[in-house]
Amino acid sequence: MTNVYQDREQTEAKHFILRKYLQTLAFKTLHGGWSTLAYIDGFSGPWQSKTPDHSDSSFMIAIEVLKDAQSKVRAAGKKPRVKCLFVEENAGSFAQLHPAVSAHHDPANDFFVETFHGKFENALPQIQRTMSNAFALTFIDPTGWTGYEFDKVRPVFEHARGEVLLNFMFDFVNRFTASSDPKTLASFAGILGPDWQQRLDPLLPREEALMALFTEQFWKAGKFSYVLSTPIEKISDRTHFHIVYGTRSPKGLEAYRQVEYDALKDHGMRRAAAREMIREKKTGQTDLFGAEGAASVAEGSMEAQIASIKHQAKDWLRQQLPTCPQPFSDIWPMMLDKFMLRKTDARDICAELGKSREIKETWRMNGSRRQKPDDNDQIERP
């Protein structure tokens, strides 16, 4: 257990996703032809930071990752430019944020850091200047459900060369959407859409119904090709929040699904270890395998969950498989969009269907020894 995140395992999972995805994105964009990467951090905080240098805050994690990526890309002979904008409304938090991030403003080395003291919704002109001529990742991490009404921040979402990571505070939303106060209920229209109560599907479990409304509005606001939602649970196994990701790129979809898998695996093991430590503290009884054993069991549980999802995805592919050939490059994005799986899982599924002769093993034609399909291989019935 990382001491700085003790009793904040869900925050650790959120920061894990931010760190790993931003690392992947930075290298892919700056190595892949983009000269400028912009990072927008709304609701920057710090909130509940437990380190003097704020290394456990989203803004310092981002700066660390981006400076490292820029340095490595520069070592490869390129001249990458990084622009960061950190937005915070709370005066006390901004007083900590501004000096911490401004110390890393380094125009001579094409690393630019700006701050905005005010509401995220009011920072649009500065955000758009920062995004100009750049690939952008926007990270929105509110403490509640207001301050980012989609109609007001739509230009940020619609930035064609960009992606969005948003922390949807499900636990709070779930609690307060059950309120009887008309003003409170009306405050959700900005993210759930007009007449959201009438549109809430009564046939779905409440979490699914709320997430369906939210992801629909999120998708519309950014006109994204893919919107994914990653539930992050507390130690008690109750969903605390969802990390919602919007992209227009199959490559982004592929990268995020891998980060999501790694994050949930790590988070599950940490939650299990934390529960075991709490149990030992309450009972005074130490298990032979302790926290390490509990984490191992959690890892096996996740693998079983993935196996179940792969089974569902296999049935889906059987139903969706067209009568005419379709390249694997078209199949796997549809599968990853629908199921919490990685590209490697999609390849496994096709390989298994090939072995059972439900589809042709086109990847093994012409003497090839490949066991799984690549993007250019056709997926078709025998």
Side-chain angles (χ1 to χ4, degrees), residues 132-377:
S132 178
N133 299 317
F135 192 94
L137 177 67
T138 301
F139 180 56
I140 301 174
D141 187 17
T143 55
W145 64 87
T146 59
Y148 62 96
E149 290 186 20
F150 291 147
D151 282 345
K152 295 181 180 179
V153 302
R154 192 176 299 275
V156 178
F157 281 50
E158 288 183 340
H159 182 70
R161 300 174 299 277
E163 299 178 336
V164 176
L165 274 175
L166 191 150
N167 178 12
F168 178 63
M169 298 294 290
F170 170 77
D171 200 22
F172 289 157
V173 172
N174 184 44
R175 192 184 318 158
F176 286 97
T177 49
S179 169
S180 59
D181 176 47
K183 186 175 181 181
T184 299
L185 295 175
S187 69
F188 289 100
I191 58 172
L192 298 181
D195 303 319
W196 65 267
Q197 289 172 283
Q198 288 71 42
R199 291 166 43 241
L200 196 67
D201 191 338
L203 300 179
L204 290 176
R206 187 168 179 81
E207 182 169 352
E208 289 184 34
L210 283 170
M211 289 310 303
L213 285 185
F214 182 81
T215 53
E216 177 188 23
Q217 297 303 120
F218 183 94
W219 174 77
K220 287 180 178 179
K223 300 176 182 176
F224 296 110
S225 299
Y226 311 100
V227 173
L228 308 181
S229 175
T230 307
I232 304 296
E233 296 178 337
K234 293 182 175 182
I235 291 177
S236 61
D237 289 339
R238 189 176 79 245
T239 300
H240 188 50
F241 53 76
H242 283 252
I243 298 297
V244 182
Y245 167 72
T247 185
R248 299 167 184 86
S249 165
K251 290 183 179 179
L253 173 67
E254 177 188 0
Y256 183 81
R257 280 302 195 199
Q258 181 62 57
V259 170
E260 175 186 58
Y261 171 85
D262 294 339
L264 290 179
K265 182 177 179 180
D266 180 81
H267 184 51
M269 294 168 65
R270 291 183 185 279
R271 284 193 304 119
R275 282 196 296 265
E276 178 59 23
M277 292 173 65
I278 291 171
R279 187 196 68 80
E280 291 179 0
K281 187 175 181 180
K282 285 182 177 179
T283 65
Q285 298 177 346
T286 303
D287 186 86
L288 178 62
F289 299 101
E292 184 176 342
S296 179
V297 171
E299 182 179 10
S301 177
M302 178 165 180
E303 292 305 324
Q305 181 185 4
I306 294 299
S308 175
I309 296 172
K310 287 172 71 173
H311 182 76
Q312 297 171 38
K314 188 182 291 186
D315 285 342
W316 169 84
L317 183 54
R318 288 188 180 107
Q319 297 172 8
Q320 297 297 319
L321 196 63
T323 55
C324 59
Q326 194 167 358
F328 181 64
S329 60
D330 288 347
I331 294 292
W332 69 259
M334 289 190 292
M335 188 178 292
L336 269 60
D337 185 34
K338 188 173 181 64
F339 299 97
M340 192 183 73
L341 296 173
R342 299 161 294 167
K343 186 177 180 180
T344 186
D345 298 318
R347 296 179 74 214
D348 288 343
I349 288 169
C350 289
E352 290 168 11
L353 290 176
K355 286 181 179 179
S356 63
R357 298 186 178 181
E358 295 181 67
I359 62 174
K360 290 182 180 179
E361 291 182 301
T362 55
W363 51 92
R364 302 191 68 181
M365 295 175 64
N366 302 319
S368 171
R369 296 184 178 181
R370 288 184 292 117
Q371 300 298 309
K372 300 176 185 180
D374 290 332
D375 278 0
N376 293 327
D377 292 311

Side-chain angles (χ1 to χ4, degrees), residues 11-197:
T11 300
E12 185 168 22
K14 175 178 64 179
H15 287 169
F16 185 108
I17 291 174
L18 175 63
R19 180 187 297 277
K20 295 297 183 181
Y21 187 71
L22 188 55
Q23 284 176 337
T24 302
L25 177 70
F27 284 116
K28 283 184 178 292
T29 53
L30 296 178
H31 263 304
W34 285 95
S35 60
T36 306
L37 175 63
Y39 175 74
I40 314 299
D41 191 335
F43 306 85
S44 295
W47 305 108
Q48 298 181 334
S49 178
K50 294 186 177 181
T51 57
D53 61 355
H54 300 301
S55 58
D56 60 337
S57 65
S58 62
F59 57 83
M60 289 308 298
I61 289 170
I63 284 178
E64 174 197 341
V65 168
L66 292 170
K67 291 183 77 170
D68 179 66
Q70 185 190 47
S71 174
K72 289 177 178 175
V73 173
R74 182 177 286 137
K78 298 192 175 185
K79 297 181 179 180
R81 193 167 184 249
V82 176
K83 299 190 291 182
C84 303
L85 174 60
F86 300 95
V87 180
E88 178 52 52
E89 180 183 7
N90 181 274
S93 296
F94 187 81
Q96 299 177 64
L97 168 74
H98 180 73
V101 299
S102 296
H104 297 276
H105 182 57
D106 187 7
N109 288 302
D110 283 330
F111 196 91
F112 301 86
V113 176
E114 294 183 343
T115 59
F116 181 89
H117 182 204
K119 294 182 178 180
F120 179 69
E121 294 168 345
N122 294 338
L124 287 185
Q126 192 168 347
I127 292 173
Q128 289 178 289
R129 287 195 299 271
T130 303
M131 287 180 161
S132 178
N133 299 317
F135 192 94
L137 177 67
T138 301
F139 180 56
I140 301 174
D141 187 17
T143 55
W145 64 87
T146 59
Y148 62 96
E149 290 186 20
F150 291 147
D151 282 345
K152 295 181 180 179
V153 302
R154 192 176 299 275
V156 178
F157 281 50
E158 288 183 340
H159 182 70
R161 300 174 299 277
E163 299 178 336
V164 176
L165 274 175
L166 191 150
N167 178 12
F168 178 63
M169 298 294 290
F170 170 77
D171 200 22
F172 289 157
V173 172
N174 184 44
R175 192 184 318 158
F176 286 97
T177 49
S179 169
S180 59
D181 176 47
K183 186 175 181 181
T184 299
L185 295 175
S187 69
F188 289 100
I191 58 172
L192 298 181
D195 303 319
W196 65 267
Q197 289 172 283

